[in-house]
Amino acid sequence: MILDGKALSKKINDQLKEEVGALIEKTNIIPRMAIVLVGENHASDVYVRNKVRAANHVGIDAKVIKLDSEVTQDQVNEVIDELNNDKSVHGIIVQLPLPRHLNEFEIINRIADYKDIDGFHLLNKGRLFTGNPSFVPATPYGIIEILDHYGIETLGKLAVVVGRSNIVGKPAASLLLNKDATVVISHSHTKNLKALTVQADILVVAVGKAKLITADMVKPGAVVIDVGINRDGNKICGDVDFEAVKEVASYITPVPGGVGPMTIAMLIKNTVEGYKKQIAE
Ligand code: NAD
C-alpha cells in the first residue's frame, strides 16, 4: 500500500488553515514566520518559495529577510536578536546551508528556542532526545505523522534508520525510540547494510543515493519510508528502488508525494504550535 504523503499533507494544511482562521478571528493576531536567507543558492530559493507559499495558504504571514552573501557573523546575529525580540514574529528559520564563513551552530543556537520552528536548537534537540519533544524537525516529524495516520504500530518493532544526519536520521531514530521501537542507526561506515535492513519491520532511508535499497534488502511486509531526493534525468526519485520494493513491502512512501510534502506541512504545524503558545502568554 502506498503511504500518500501528498493527500495527508493536504488534510493537515486544511485543518491548520481552519484553526489559524479561527484563532486570528479571536485574537486579531496574525501568525508570522521569518525566514533568513543568506546569499544566492537556487535550491534554497526554491525551498524558501515553497515555505512561503505553504505558510500563506494557511494564513501565516511569512517574511523573507535576504542578506548578502558577504554578511558578517555579527550582522546575522543582530538580525536574529531583532527577530527574537519582535513579538509579531512567532517562528524563525535560518535557511541552510549558510556560506562557509558563517558559524551555523552559533546562529541556529542564537534563535530563541520557543521560536525555533525547525527544531534545530540544542534545547529542542535535547528535549526530543530525552523524550519530551517541543519543536521536532519537520522531516522526521512528517514520518511519524504518516505512521500514526496509517495506524502503523511501532511498539516493539525493529526500526532500521539508514543515515545519521542531524536533520533526518538522528531525530527520526529518537522519535521511533520514543514510540517504543527497537532502533538501529546505520550510516556510511556500516558494514553489511543488507544484513540489518532485511530484519527491519520499519525501514527509514535518508541517504541521498538512488536505488540504494533494492528489493532483496527488504523484509517481506516491511514498512518502507523513503526520505531521499535524487535526480533521475528530469524526474525525482528516492533512495529506494520503488517499483521492485513496493512488491515486497506492506507500506511504502513514494518519491515524490511521500515524505516531501509532509515536511512542509509539519513545518507549518510547528509554526502554528509556536504561535499558539506565544499568544497564550
Ligand atoms: P546527509 O548527507 O546529511 O546524510 C546522509 C547520511 O547517509 C549520512 O549520515 C551518511 O552516513 C549516510 N550514508 C551515506 N552513504 C551511505 C550508505 N552507503 N549506507 C548507509 N548510509 C549511508 O543527508 P540528509 O540531509 O539526511 O538527507 C538525506 C536525503 O534525504 C537526501 O537525499 C536529501 O535530499 C533528502 N531529504 C529529504 C527531505 C524531504 O523533505 N523529503 C528533507 C531532508 C532531506
Side-chain angles (χ1 to χ4, degrees), residues 161-166 168-170 185-189 206:
V161 178
V162 189
R164 59 169 166 185
S165 72
N166 287 326
V168 190
K170 281 186 210 162
I185 307 177
S186 61
H187 48 80
S188 54
H189 296 287

Side-chain angles (χ1 to χ4, degrees), residues 13-270:
N13 284 329
D14 289 348
Q15 280 166 354
L16 289 171
K17 185 176 180 172
E18 225 179 279
E19 191 179 1
V20 166
L23 282 166
I24 293 176
E25 200 156 294
K26 202 170 122 194
T27 64
N28 244 329
I29 303 171
I30 294 176
R32 182 166 292 119
M33 67 156 76
I35 308 176
V36 179
L37 178 61
V38 184
E40 303 292 330
N41 176 323
H42 176 67
S44 291
D45 288 346
V46 173
Y47 289 135
V48 168
R49 246 198 331 268
N50 288 341
K51 288 172 191 177
V52 171
R53 195 181 305 131
N56 291 343
H57 172 76
V58 305
I60 296 172
D61 181 47
K63 66 172 187 177
V64 180
I65 296 142
K66 281 199 93 166
L67 302 175
D68 193 83
S69 60
E70 305 292 312
V71 70
T72 65
Q73 180 80 24
D74 284 347
Q75 286 168 324
V76 181
N77 287 348
E78 223 170 276
V79 169
I80 301 292
D81 290 348
E82 273 169 30
L83 294 171
N84 283 342
N85 293 327
D86 184 343
K87 281 205 171 349
S88 77
V89 172
H90 307 98
I92 303 170
I93 295 170
V94 174
Q95 186 65 39
L96 302 177
L98 291 170
R100 276 170 171 271
H101 71 280
L102 295 173
N103 183 335
E104 180 182 308
F105 182 83
E106 187 183 318
I107 291 169
I108 294 297
N109 287 299
R110 201 167 180 105
I111 297 173
D113 63 299
Y114 56 91
K115 295 191 181 186
D116 169 42
I117 49 178
D118 266 334
F120 294 163
H121 189 289
L122 280 181
L123 271 174
N124 289 320
K125 285 181 178 165
R127 288 175 178 132
L128 172 59
F129 195 67
T130 50
N132 300 292
S134 174
F135 290 119
V136 173
T139 302
Y141 193 4
I143 294 173
I144 297 300
E145 198 74 12
I146 290 176
L147 296 178
D148 285 348
H149 176 77
Y150 282 91
I152 294 166
E153 184 61 82
T154 51
L155 184 144
K157 295 290 160 69
L158 179 66
V160 174
V161 178
V162 189
R164 59 169 166 185
S165 72
N166 287 326
I167 63 164
V168 190
K170 281 186 210 162
S174 282
L175 286 165
L176 288 161
L177 194 59
N178 292 346
K179 285 175 69 65
D180 299 318
T182 301
V183 181
V184 173
I185 307 177
S186 61
H187 48 80
S188 54
H189 296 287
T190 297
K191 302 226 173 4
N192 199 352
L193 181 64
K194 182 179 168 182
L196 299 172
T197 60
V198 287
Q199 298 180 63
D201 301 308
I202 299 170
L203 181 60
V204 176
V205 192
V207 172
K209 282 192 182 140
K211 297 207 168 123
L212 176 73
I213 303 297
T214 46
D216 58 316
M217 296 171 79
V218 177
K219 176 172 156 178
V223 175
V224 179
I225 307 287
D226 189 355
V227 184
I229 301 177
N230 307 292
R231 289 229 153 265
D232 177 13
N234 290 335
K235 289 197 287 185
I236 299 280
C237 70
D239 292 343
V240 175
D241 182 0
F242 179 80
E243 288 306 324
V245 172
K246 80 174 186 336
E247 303 302 326
V248 183
S250 58
Y251 293 94
I252 184 168
T253 57
V255 179
V259 176
M262 288 301 292
T263 295
I264 297 241
M266 302 323 280
L267 177 70
I268 301 303
K269 189 166 175 166
N270 276 344

